[in-house]
């Protein structure tokens, strides 16, 4: 028990990357609350980033400053990163070398502030970095209820109100904690939000004010706290529409959302979030954010051993379609599976084409190829259901030879330290 008590005293052991990310956001929050203007925004951003920064608003106003606060004339130098504004304008950084580790986050929040200057309403809320030791304690199933309750209070959460836990994973070259903070900066989730990196993923605790009674088992009480999945899909969609490094890292983000639970049973929501994350596929927001409640009975597939999933005939054929080369066209299999997944989810050729940003004839050709290779008739509801189950099983099987390896979450609790 002494070790458990010691965890509660490690309030200074904040995740360094997540804490720095929150300080970046706090910088812009202060600007937004203090009479923002283009000059102060650009000068302050240049000082924060330690390099020249520039701003061009849709109405034509332009500002450009060096890191020392000196106005810079002329055209920008080497632009190391930028975010476009809509319907016109942009913000940018001019760093001589490679972009800094937090340049992406600085640009995102500079763009948010610029949109306020352009008259667009702000709908962001500051997420808070939390002590990873406290978060791990709340998510653990091994510690006493009294220790978990104290950790909940130290995190600023209500011990009586239900919460949900989300698991956020980024690409191999990104930090999950920073990606989670950047994603949450795009959405206004009501209530209290806490973020900490736990193993290779980020844990996000979301507690709405009010809601259903705490301690309810998943599925017992409808509406026991609204899932943030829809808002997270909107936020991810916004990031995917940006240009430059913001968009590149957004393409690797995956999110799993757990069901509602009482704070003392947060481990249940955390387990569901990690299970849902296994169903998430980086790409479109609809595929990249998986909600355990939306999965329903399909979530039971996660209980099947990976070896059995890989051995199933439909899964083996889909895996061969993804990994193999057809007619001398490498990589074609991934396009086929993307079209199959979109069609199975929407049930509409045109909706699938819209989601994939393709012409419907291109999607139709890819689906015809899937039918030819696997012998399915995708207009048949039974075959379509069979295909969707096989897709889910293929994702859970996570064939590392074709997908480039896992991300550390697929081994249960080993990666996160919570068991």
């Amino acid at each position: 028990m002494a070790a458990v008590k010691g965890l509660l005293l490690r309030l200074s052991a904040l995740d360094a990357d997540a804490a720095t990310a929150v300080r970046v956001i706090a910088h812009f929050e202060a600007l937004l609350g203090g009479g923002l203007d283009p000059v102060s925004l650009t000068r302050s951003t240049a000082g924060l980033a330690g390099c020249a920064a520039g701003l061009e608003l849709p109405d034509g106003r332009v500002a450009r400053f060096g890191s020392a606060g000196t106005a810079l004339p002329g055209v920008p130098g080497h632009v190391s990163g930028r975010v476009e504004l809509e319907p016109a304008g942009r913000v940018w950084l001019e760093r001589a070398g490679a972009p800094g580790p937090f340049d992406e986050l600085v640009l995102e929040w500079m763009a948010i502030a610029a949109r306020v200057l352009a008259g667009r309403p702000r709908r962001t809320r500051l997420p808070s970095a939390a002590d990873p030791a406290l978060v791990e304690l709340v998510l653990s199933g091994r510690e006493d209820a009294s220790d978990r309750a104290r950790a909940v209070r130290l995190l600023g959460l209500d011990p009586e109100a239900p919460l949900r836990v989300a698991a956020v994973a980024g690409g191999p070259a990104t930090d999950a904690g920073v990606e989670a903070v950047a994603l949450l900066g795009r959405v206004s989730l009501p209530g209290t939000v806490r973020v900490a990196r736990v193993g290779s993923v980020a844990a996000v605790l979301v507690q709405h004010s009010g809601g259903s009674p705490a301690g309810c088992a998943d599925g017992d009480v409808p509406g026991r706290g609204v899932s943030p999945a829809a808002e997270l899909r909107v936020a991810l969609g916004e990031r995917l529409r940006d240009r430059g490094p913001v968009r590149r890292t957004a393409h690797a983000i995956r999110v799993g959302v757990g069901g509602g639970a009482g704070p003392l049973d947060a481990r249940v929501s955390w387990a569901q979030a990690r299970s849902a994350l296994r169903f998430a596929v980086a790409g479109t927001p609809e595929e990249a954010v998986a909600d355990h409640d939306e999965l329903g009975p399909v979530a039971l597939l996660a209980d099947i051993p990976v070896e059995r999933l890989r051995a199933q005939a439909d899964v083996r054929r889909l895996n061969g379609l993804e990994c193999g080369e057809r007619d001398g066209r490498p990589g074609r299999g991934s396009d086929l599976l993307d079209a199959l997944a979109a069609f199975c989810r929407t049930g509409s050729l045109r909706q699938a084409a819209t989601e994939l940003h393709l012409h419907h004839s291109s999607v139709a050709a890819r689906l015809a190829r899937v039918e030819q290779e696997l012998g399915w008739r995708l207009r048949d509801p039974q075959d379509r259901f069979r295909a969707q189950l096989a897709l889910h099983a293929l994702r859970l099987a996570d064939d590392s030879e074709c997908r480039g390896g896992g991300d550390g979450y697929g081994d249960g609790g080993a990666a996160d330290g919570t068991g």
Side-chain angles (χ1 to χ4, degrees):
M1 289 304 295
V4 174
K5 300 296 183 183
L7 286 175
L8 296 175
L9 300 178
R10 289 171 53 197
L11 290 175
S12 61
L14 287 172
D15 180 304
D17 288 336
T20 302
V22 169
R23 285 195 292 272
V24 169
I25 298 174
H27 176 90
F28 286 101
E29 287 278 340
L31 287 177
L32 287 165
L36 195 65
D37 63 79
V39 171
S40 64
L41 171 61
T42 311
R43 180 188 287 123
S44 181
T45 301
L48 176 68
C51 66
L55 161 70
E56 180 184 343
L57 291 175
D59 61 10
R61 286 180 288 173
V62 178
R64 183 169 169 250
F65 283 86
S67 59
T70 305
L72 299 177
V75 298
H78 173 68
V79 175
S80 56
R82 69 180 182 183
V83 172
E84 302 292 330
L85 306 178
E86 294 181 0
R90 57 181 179 147
V91 298
W92 69 88
L93 295 178
E94 304 172 34
R95 195 178 296 282
F102 291 94
D103 281 5
E104 176 188 335
L105 193 62
V106 169
L107 282 168
E108 285 205 48
W109 276 79
M110 188 181 183
I112 289 171
R115 292 179 187 119
V116 173
L117 283 174
R120 290 177 55 180
R122 180 168 70 102
R123 35 182 200 84
T124 57
R125 178 182 298 246
L126 176 67
S128 294
D131 181 356
L134 291 176
V135 171
E136 288 185 21
L137 185 54
V138 170
L139 300 180
S140 174
R142 300 190 298 264
E143 318 305 345
D144 288 346
S146 59
D147 293 319
R148 283 182 278 126
R150 187 181 177 201
V152 167
R153 289 190 293 269
L154 288 171
L155 287 171
L157 300 172
D158 183 349
E160 302 298 326
L163 54 74
R164 286 178 185 260
V165 185
V168 180
T174 60
D175 183 275
V178 173
E179 291 294 344
V181 171
L183 183 64
L184 292 165
R186 293 291 188 107
V187 63
S188 182
L189 297 177
T192 305
V193 180
R194 298 288 182 263
V195 184
R197 191 172 58 199
V198 179
S200 61
V201 300
V204 181
L205 282 64
V206 182
Q207 188 176 62
H208 295 279
S209 53
S212 305
C216 297
D218 189 41
D220 285 351
V221 180
R224 69 202 172 287
V226 180
S227 170
E231 289 89 345
L232 291 172
R233 290 183 182 119
V234 171
L236 182 56
E238 289 184 359
R239 292 197 68 193
L240 289 170
R241 285 192 294 273
D242 282 333
R243 301 179 186 177
V246 172
R247 181 177 180 179
R248 286 195 294 271
T249 60
H251 272 292
I253 293 176
R254 295 175 301 108
V255 183
V257 180
L264 297 186
D265 294 318
R267 65 188 182 279
V268 176
S269 185
W270 176 233
Q272 292 172 348
R274 286 181 296 152
S275 178
L277 185 62
R278 295 180 62 196
F279 289 88
V281 178
T284 66
E286 292 76 16
E287 290 280 308
V289 180
D291 188 328
H292 189 272
D293 286 355
E294 293 176 1
L295 288 170
V298 172
L300 296 174
L301 287 173
D303 296 334
I304 300 176
V306 169
E307 292 75 14
R308 290 191 61 189
L309 293 173
R310 289 175 179 165
Q312 204 279 326
D314 287 346
V315 175
R316 284 192 287 108
R317 291 195 296 166
L318 276 183
N319 187 55
L321 189 65
E322 181 180 32
C323 294
E325 297 180 8
R326 296 292 188 267
D327 296 342
R329 289 175 287 182
R332 180 71 172 167
S334 178
D335 296 337
L336 298 180
L337 293 192
D338 288 345
L340 177 62
F343 180 71
C344 286
R345 185 174 55 258
T346 63
S348 163
L349 183 62
R350 292 190 179 274
Q351 288 183 34
T354 299
E355 185 177 292
L356 296 172
H357 305 290
L358 295 171
H359 192 274
H360 64 86
S361 61
S362 298
V363 177
R366 294 178 184 185
L367 294 178
R369 188 172 183 82
V370 172
E371 290 181 325
Q372 176 187 355
E373 294 287 344
L374 280 79
W376 292 335
R377 292 180 301 147
L378 295 174
R379 289 292 180 184
D380 184 325
Q382 192 164 1
D383 275 5
R384 193 162 65 248
F385 176 69
R386 176 179 174 180
Q388 190 157 29
L389 279 180
L391 279 169
H392 284 312
L394 177 64
R395 293 166 183 172
L396 292 171
D398 189 25
D399 190 318
S400 59
E401 291 184 3
C402 292
R403 298 175 187 270
D407 53 20
Y409 67 83
D411 57 350
D416 56 62
T418 62

